[in-house]
Amino acid sequence: FSAIGDKREIEQEEYTPGIEPQPTWCPGCGDFGVLKALKGALPEVGRTPDETLTVTGIGCSGKLNSYFNSYGFHTIHGRSLPVARAAKLANPGLEVIAAGGDGDGYGIGGNHFMHTARENHDFTYIVFNNEIFGLTKGQTSPTSPKGHESKTQPHGSAKEPVRPLSLSLTSGASFVARTAAVNPNQAKELIKEAIEHDGFAHIDFLTQCPTWNKDAKQYVPYIDVNESDDYDFDPTNRDEAAEMMRETEEALHDGKVLTGKYYVDEDRPSYQQEKQQIGEMPEEPLAERYFDDSYEWE
Ligand code: SF4
């Protein structure tokens, strides 16, 4: 565990590993946009690589922590959130960022997503949403639109897709945003806000997959609902946020890409704060006890 809080100027390049491998994502893949935004955000919030842990699931997105210089944990499919929760509870000083694809997070790990949001664990979760399973060659995923044709659904998907923003809000996330790989500046700013938010911060990150989802939109042009004069809602108002999310999720399936910060609740305590309030969790990081020979375990 590093000396948390060592404030100094941090260079973006510190987040680039000095060794191979360089990213093996396909040319034009949206995953590059997440990497770029993340490398831009962390120095600006004053976090060094040894203060940061990235936890990933399985998929093309899971390679993120191979290309990002920080502590890393590449978990099994759909299980990045339980590992991220445990790490944050043991060492609250770590900046924990969980990441995975839409299949990993909304399908295989959907149960963890719902309950991590409900419990409001204090870390950032970035979902690379390309509306298919990319690594395994383009199968239908939980966010594939109804009618989407793939090898697993050759006559078109008969299923309604998951609506990630609405699911996140109703599950209890206290920060919900959507951005797109084609908009790295907005992505960087949203990641910074998510990191600085106390509680579960979920970013649905639209990442085009030009290799297996050729017919899908490239998520351009995008509209920032917080900036556009065409949209007027208050992200601190739950009802207005819910309505804006519903409109955004409908619009995406009509080819209109709406992005932005949809919901933020700054008042709700995180899971850890709740546990401390009821006396079930100490103020000091649990991890420190493991390194304290004088600590007397009960
Ligand atoms: Fe990106 Fe798709 Fe290639 Fe995976 S298969 S690296 S998601 S473009």
Side-chain angles (χ1 to χ4, degrees):
F1 294 90
S2 66
I4 303 288
D6 169 24
K7 293 300 167 209
R8 60 177 177 77
E9 193 157 329
I10 305 157
E11 303 292 337
Q12 265 194 43
E13 278 315 299
E14 294 180 42
Y15 290 93
T16 302
I19 55 171
E20 298 290 337
Q22 296 303 315
T24 55
W25 291 317
C26 310
C29 176
D31 295 6
F32 287 101
V34 184
L35 183 63
K36 180 179 168 63
L38 201 54
K39 282 184 181 178
L42 278 156
E44 293 189 20
V45 295
R47 288 303 211 171
T48 58
D50 64 355
E51 293 172 345
T52 305
L53 169 71
T54 51
V55 186
T56 58
I58 297 297
C60 296
S61 56
K63 298 175 184 173
L64 178 77
N65 48 16
S66 300
Y67 311 142
F68 187 77
N69 187 35
S70 69
Y71 289 110
F73 197 133
H74 196 167
T75 69
I76 55 175
H77 217 344
R79 306 295 177 249
S80 64
L81 292 180
V83 172
R85 287 162 56 158
K88 186 68 181 181
L89 286 169
N91 188 353
L94 269 182
E95 196 58 64
V96 176
I97 296 163
D102 52 284
D104 187 83
Y106 304 143
I108 291 100
N111 179 34
H112 298 305
F113 176 63
M114 189 170 74
H115 292 286
T116 304
R118 177 175 68 85
E119 296 173 14
N120 201 28
H121 288 263
D122 180 21
F123 60 87
T124 300
Y125 184 37
I126 299 173
V127 180
F128 297 50
N129 181 2
N130 56 18
E131 302 181 85
I132 50 145
F133 283 96
L135 185 68
T136 46
K137 299 185 167 42
Q139 295 91 342
T140 302
S141 80
T143 52
S144 302
K146 193 173 183 182
H148 174 80
E149 294 179 10
S150 69
K151 291 175 187 167
T152 46
Q153 308 276 329
H155 304 296
S157 171
K159 306 168 194 171
E160 285 291 337
V162 163
R163 288 169 164 73
L165 306 176
S166 302
L167 177 64
S168 189
L169 182 74
T170 52
S171 298
S174 52
F175 181 101
V176 186
R178 168 173 275 174
T179 186
V182 290
N183 190 0
N185 291 333
Q186 181 204 45
K188 182 182 81 170
E189 294 305 318
L190 287 173
I191 291 174
K192 281 165 56 184
E193 281 195 62
I195 287 172
E196 288 176 335
H197 175 73
D198 291 329
F200 186 60
H202 165 225
I203 299 179
D204 185 72
F205 205 127
L206 299 170
T207 51
Q208 69 278 5
C209 173
T211 300
W212 296 111
N213 203 5
K214 290 187 171 67
D215 296 336
K217 45 265 162 197
Q218 297 294 300
Y219 306 121
V220 284
Y222 57 83
I223 296 166
D224 186 326
V225 295
N226 306 120
E227 299 290 331
S228 169
D229 292 338
D230 295 339
Y231 301 93
D232 181 24
F233 77 106
D234 175 5
T236 65
N237 181 306
R238 192 180 181 85
D239 291 338
E240 291 184 26
E243 180 56 28
M244 192 64 243
M245 289 176 183
R246 189 197 60 74
E247 187 173 342
T248 294
E249 288 167 333
E250 291 295 325
L252 184 63
H253 297 134
D254 295 330
K256 189 171 177 184
V257 184
L258 304 183
T259 61
K261 180 171 72 178
Y262 286 83
Y263 183 64
V264 61
D265 180 351
E266 297 289 3
D267 298 328
R268 186 177 165 208
S270 68
Y271 178 76
Q272 188 175 11
Q273 288 167 335
E274 297 271 17
K275 294 286 263 186
Q276 285 171 341
Q277 279 170 18
I278 60 174
E280 282 189 2
M281 208 171 159
E283 294 289 333
E284 79 276 15
L286 287 174
E288 287 185 3
R289 295 184 173 185
Y290 293 101
F291 297 97
D292 179 1
D293 292 337
S294 65
Y295 184 76
E296 291 184 12
W297 293 91
E298 292 174 5

